[in-house]
Amino acid sequence: MAIKDLAVAYNASSNADTAVKFAVQMCRKYTATLTGLFVTSPVRFEGQVQRWISDDVMASLKEAEREAAKGIEARFRELVKSTGHDGPVEWLAQVGQPNTILARSARYYDLLLIGQFSEPSDKNRPVRAEDLVQMSGTPLIIVPNQYAVRPFNEYAAVAWDGSRPAARALSDAMQILETKKRLDVVSVA
């Protein structure tokens, strides 16, 4: 099965920038569409506090969130453009719990890419790779923070222990592995 639709979780952090650069590189190799996924948690206040906030203030907060999301989209599009990517690019912004929304959205793409770690400022809404793998049913690529764009290595190695998770991982990776010149299977007894 060919890779045609890639999604990258993007929140304008340096980790997300690294994931976008890798995703663009993959899009070039596989002639795939790139979609940036942005999820923001809704503004919530404790019940006691919320009843003292006027509708005008709540409307202002929501407008500020919309403007921030537009800025993040603009940064995403500018970053993609700066890489020289000229393929199709889409953007999807949603409101909700980030792990749940990203996992649900990832089901519509061949792969989901995320940066390695959440930024310190993301403490209240970290994206957890373990949750995404469990909830999405879609292969996930975690791009290391220090990744520098370079030519793809056309060799791959697969760890194999004969288990169900190993079989699932191998099946999910076949769309990438079938493009490699050499594949080594590593099994430790």
Side-chain angles (χ1 to χ4, degrees):
M1 168 171 51
I3 297 172
K4 291 296 172 199
D5 292 304
L6 297 178
V8 61
Y10 191 75
N11 64 359
S13 69
S14 61
N15 305 327
D17 288 348
T18 303
V20 167
K21 291 173 186 172
F22 184 72
V24 166
Q25 191 177 12
M26 288 189 73
C27 284
R28 285 189 185 127
K29 177 174 178 145
Y30 298 109
T31 318
T33 298
L34 176 64
T35 301
L37 301 177
F38 173 66
V39 181
T40 184
S41 299
V43 175
R44 290 197 177 127
F45 298 99
E46 292 181 27
Q48 298 285 348
V49 174
Q50 187 160 356
R51 42 181 203 191
W52 294 102
I53 298 175
S54 71
D55 291 340
D56 291 343
V57 170
M58 285 302 288
S60 294
L61 289 172
K62 289 181 181 187
E63 180 59 29
E65 279 186 339
R66 281 191 291 275
E67 288 302 314
K70 286 179 187 176
I72 291 171
E73 177 183 3
R75 181 171 167 178
F76 169 78
R77 290 188 183 278
E78 185 58 38
L79 177 61
V80 171
K81 184 178 178 182
S82 74
T83 66
H85 181 65
D86 59 355
V89 177
E90 298 176 6
W91 178 256
L92 179 62
Q94 299 179 67
V95 176
Q97 200 288 325
N99 288 319
T100 303
I101 299 294
L102 284 173
R104 190 176 304 138
S105 297
R107 296 175 190 152
Y108 298 97
Y109 300 91
D110 297 319
L111 292 169
L112 173 64
L113 294 93
I114 64 170
Q116 185 176 9
F117 299 111
S118 293
E119 295 279 318
S121 62
D122 294 339
K123 283 185 239 178
N124 297 331
R125 50 182 206 273
V127 172
R128 294 175 33 94
E130 311 86 64
D131 293 342
L132 293 175
V133 167
Q134 294 282 329
M135 295 187 311
S136 73
T138 300
L140 175 69
I141 294 178
I142 303 167
V143 182
N145 291 337
Q146 302 305 318
Y147 177 78
V149 175
R150 57 187 173 271
F152 276 114
N153 183 344
E154 293 305 327
Y155 301 104
V158 173
W160 180 256
D161 66 1
S163 67
R164 182 182 181 280
R168 175 61 194 256
L170 181 62
S171 176
D172 285 347
M174 284 307 295
Q175 53 191 344
I176 293 174
L177 296 175
E178 66 189 15
T179 68
K180 301 298 181 184
K181 293 179 182 174
R182 175 178 158 183
L183 175 62
D184 293 326
V185 179
V186 179
S187 184
V188 178

